[in-house]
Amino acid sequence: SEMSKDLLPGPYPRTPEERAAAAKKYNMRVEDYEPYPDDGFGYGDYPKLPDKSLHERDPWYQWDQPDMRHNWGQPMHWDFDMYIRNRVDTSPTPVPWHIMRRHFLIFLSTMLIMFGLGGLYPSYRPVGPKQYPFNDLYLERGGDPNKEPPVVTHYEI
Amino acid sequence: MASGPPPSAAERYRPNRFVSLPAELDPATYDTSPEKRRAEAERLAIRARLKRQYQLQLNNPNPPAVIEDPALIRWAYARTLNVYPTFRPTPKTSFLGLLFALGPLLFWGTVFKLDRDHKEKLIQEGKYERPFSVF
């Protein structure tokens, strides 16, 4: 792009003058400007904005770009493309997160434990051995048709 | 014996990494002090200045073909071209690089090698049962 080097992001600001210049570059107040910590991760002097998704921005304000809820020149979050309205939503939930997490883990663990126990200790209705007709299928099992089949009784009276 | 009324929904709410605190529950948004008011006024001034610049370009009789957003250009530049110049090998970055870049390669390499060697040993001994065999 044709922007001059001092308008593009640069290295981490070390002196207060560099901080003030960086804040002015990003259209922020010097007190609001907070760069990412200098851990060598590659952020440079990009400002660390609060991790709030676009769902939380006022839907009724007249933004310059209404679908992105973004004004011209407003500094964009590093993860702007994650926080758009189709994706991650950080707006406050009606039920607190730790309560939702607790309920979900209770349900999930109960179901998993019950399924695991059911797999380890299955229980069925009691069954006996199968009883076949025609003298225990004597002819079908290759018995001699000229001989008398052995009589098989499956009952006791 | 009773420990008082149960906490209300507002008192139970706790923000974390995934959800934020609504403005109604955040004490920082309550009675504004003069310093906060001045800060808000300064922010409004910056916003108004940017809006004016944008509206001037938008309502220009000879508008430019594309109204570039410098914030967008800076965002794209910071995420692509500014990462390598500002990267610095520190203990943390080297450790993470080893863990996420080298680790999976070595791990999956050893897993596949061991698995194939085990299968080869079984085949040599004649104990391997072919899956989906048509015989």
Side-chain angles (χ1 to χ4, degrees):
Chain A
S1 64
E2 319 84 33
M3 279 165 69
S4 55
K5 261 287 188 257
D6 57 340
L7 283 177
L8 288 174
Y12 185 81
R14 304 208 178 265
T15 67
E17 293 87 26
E18 285 179 8
R19 279 183 94 97
K24 190 160 181 313
K25 174 171 71 177
Y26 288 111
N27 296 323
M28 295 173 76
R29 287 174 67 232
V30 181
E31 296 84 4
D32 290 341
Y33 174 73
E34 183 204 334
Y36 279 94
D38 189 20
D39 273 337
F41 270 86
Y43 287 112
D45 63 357
Y46 205 80
K48 188 173 186 320
L49 300 163
D51 291 336
K52 291 183 181 254
S53 81
L54 293 188
H55 294 84
E56 296 190 50
R57 297 205 189 172
D58 190 357
W60 299 105
Y61 174 76
Q62 284 215 341
W63 301 95
D64 294 337
Q65 251 186 312
D67 51 345
M68 296 283 118
R69 290 186 184 169
H70 165 77
N71 278 325
W72 189 87
Q74 179 184 5
M76 297 165 78
H77 193 285
W78 183 271
D79 292 318
F80 184 85
D81 48 352
M82 179 172 83
Y83 285 129
I84 62 172
R85 288 193 286 156
N86 262 337
R87 298 179 184 171
V88 171
D89 178 5
T90 59
S91 40
T93 51
V95 180
W97 187 271
H98 62 284
I99 294 182
M100 287 199 291
R101 185 184 58 202
R102 190 201 314 161
H103 290 180
F104 174 68
L105 287 178
I106 289 175
F107 172 75
L108 188 70
S109 48
T110 308
M111 296 303 282
L112 284 177
I113 287 174
M114 295 307 283
F115 271 102
L117 285 177
L120 284 175
Y121 306 114
S123 83
Y124 306 100
R125 298 184 68 86
V127 285
K130 220 163 164 56
Q131 301 176 2
Y132 296 96
F134 305 117
N135 299 108
D136 210 18
L137 297 178
Y138 177 74
L139 292 175
E140 283 82 358
R141 290 201 185 155
D144 193 353
N146 302 319
K147 288 215 294 249
E148 271 293 318
V151 174
V152 181
T153 50
H154 296 287
Y155 51 86
E156 271 180 19
I157 297 179
Chain B
M1 283 296 280
S3 59
S8 67
E11 284 158 10
R12 265 185 311 169
Y13 193 90
R14 287 200 312 248
N16 61 11
R17 204 157 61 101
F18 310 111
V19 287
S20 51
L21 197 58
E24 292 83 5
L25 297 178
D26 189 8
T29 55
Y30 295 169
D31 308 314
T32 45
S33 60
E35 292 83 26
K36 283 193 203 164
R37 295 237 180 111
R38 192 161 358 106
E40 277 301 316
E42 285 177 18
R43 286 187 206 121
L44 183 59
I46 294 178
R47 240 188 352 252
R49 177 169 53 82
L50 291 172
K51 269 256 195 249
R52 184 166 187 275
Q53 285 180 7
Y54 179 63
Q55 292 291 333
L56 280 177
Q57 287 185 49
L58 196 59
N59 297 323
N60 195 349
N62 296 325
V66 161
I67 302 180
E68 316 179 322
D69 185 0
L72 185 66
I73 298 176
R74 280 192 280 266
W75 178 75
Y77 182 88
R79 274 165 60 111
T80 53
L81 294 168
N82 204 30
V83 175
Y84 182 67
T86 49
F87 174 78
R88 211 176 64 234
T90 66
K92 191 165 163 198
T93 58
S94 331
F95 170 70
L96 285 178
L98 278 178
L99 187 67
F100 287 115
L102 266 191
L105 290 173
L106 297 174
F107 173 71
W108 288 112
T110 40
V111 163
F112 290 139
K113 178 101 177 65
L114 290 176
D115 181 51
R116 292 206 78 90
D117 285 347
H118 177 69
K119 202 151 81 164
E120 180 65 25
K121 189 160 84 76
L122 285 180
I123 292 177
Q124 295 287 359
E125 292 167 4
K127 291 210 203 83
Y128 182 65
E129 185 196 314
R130 304 242 159 224
F132 312 117
S133 174
V134 294
F135 301 110

